[in-house]
């Protein structure tokens, strides 16, 4: 998806939310670089399950504090099966 199309998608989404502004970082995933496997929901869930201690707590906090409006396939899977880690 080119940048203009991405902008239009985000703009339309923000309008449906009745928001005046949206901050979008557009960062690329580093999952494959860090984990040596491509990001998929299955691989994401496996990664979360592998965490422990403070890292696990921070990951859980990050996911739980994300705004409700931010829905991703991984977040949907966690919602369906519960926190798996």
């Amino acid at each position: 998806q080119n940048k203009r199309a991405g902008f239009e998608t985000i703009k339309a989404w923000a309008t449906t939310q009745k928001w005046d502004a949206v901050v979008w970082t557009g960062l690329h995933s580093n999952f494959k670089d860090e984990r040596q496997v491509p990001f998929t929901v299955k691989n994401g869930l496996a990664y979360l399950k592998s965490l422990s201690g403070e890292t696990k707590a921070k990951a859980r906090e990050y996911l739980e504090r994300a705004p409700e409006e931010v829905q991703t396939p991984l977040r949907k899977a966690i919602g369906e099966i519960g926190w798996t880690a």
Side-chain angles (χ1 to χ4, degrees):
Q1 186 181 56
N2 65 41
K3 288 183 182 184
R4 185 69 189 170
F7 169 78
E8 293 300 332
T9 300
I10 294 165
K11 181 180 174 185
W13 174 73
T15 300
T16 66
Q17 301 300 313
K18 299 187 182 344
W19 292 343
D20 296 327
V22 174
V23 176
W24 189 263
T25 58
L27 299 174
H28 295 283
S29 173
N30 68 349
F31 192 88
K32 187 173 182 179
D33 295 335
E34 296 292 322
R35 306 291 301 159
Q36 287 71 54
V37 294
F39 178 80
T40 63
V41 171
K42 182 179 176 181
N43 289 342
L45 289 171
Y47 170 69
L48 291 174
K49 190 173 183 176
S50 76
L51 299 177
S52 62
E54 186 176 345
T55 304
K56 176 182 171 180
K58 286 184 177 186
R60 186 172 186 154
E61 178 184 15
Y62 177 84
L63 289 166
E64 290 177 349
R65 291 183 69 183
E68 175 91 16
E69 296 84 4
V70 177
Q71 292 298 317
T72 66
L74 179 61
R75 206 165 174 197
K76 181 180 178 190
I78 292 168
E80 290 172 355
I81 64 174
W83 180 260
T84 60

